[in-house]
Amino acid sequence: MSSRSRWYAHAASVIRRALAEAEAQGLDTEATRRCVDAAYPFGERRYHPYTMWLRARRDLLRRGGTPEDQASAQDRAKLAAWTSGAPIRGAEDTEEPTL
């Protein structure tokens, strides 16, 4: 089972919309979970679509996003440098120059 299936992608999209709605309403954690659960789009909660829903729900509620949503530590460091006005350095900039 791939977490990149069309079922997973659709579930993640629905969950993101539910999370945005819950955030706009200022819901607490438990109410947000109920809002996400109420948004289930696939009918009967069985088989592969339900498995992908649970995987996307876990990724978005517990881990803070799907693997595609999560920035690497290097990307976060570049963003922090950019927002502070410091020069952005890549891996090639961190090595000592050779003479």
Side-chain angles (χ1 to χ4, degrees), residues 3-4 10 16 22 38 44-45 57 69 73 76 81 88 92:
S3 63
R4 296 195 192 335
H10 183 64
R16 282 188 193 98
E44 191 174 3
R45 292 179 186 249
R57 182 182 182 274
D69 294 335
R76 288 191 303 273
I88 299 173
E92 63 279 353

Side-chain angles (χ1 to χ4, degrees), residues 22-69:
E23 184 177 341
Q25 294 176 12
L27 300 179
D28 65 7
T29 304
E30 191 55 39
T32 297
R33 288 181 189 278
R34 285 193 302 268
C35 182
V36 167
D37 291 342
Y40 182 74
F42 301 129
E44 191 174 3
R45 292 179 186 249
R46 295 179 67 180
Y47 308 116
H48 185 68
Y50 185 54
T51 302
M52 293 295 98
W53 170 264
L54 292 175
R55 186 173 291 171
R57 182 182 182 274
R58 179 195 64 212
D59 289 347
L60 290 163
L61 291 176
R62 291 189 189 158
R63 294 189 201 160
T66 62
E68 293 81 16
D69 294 335

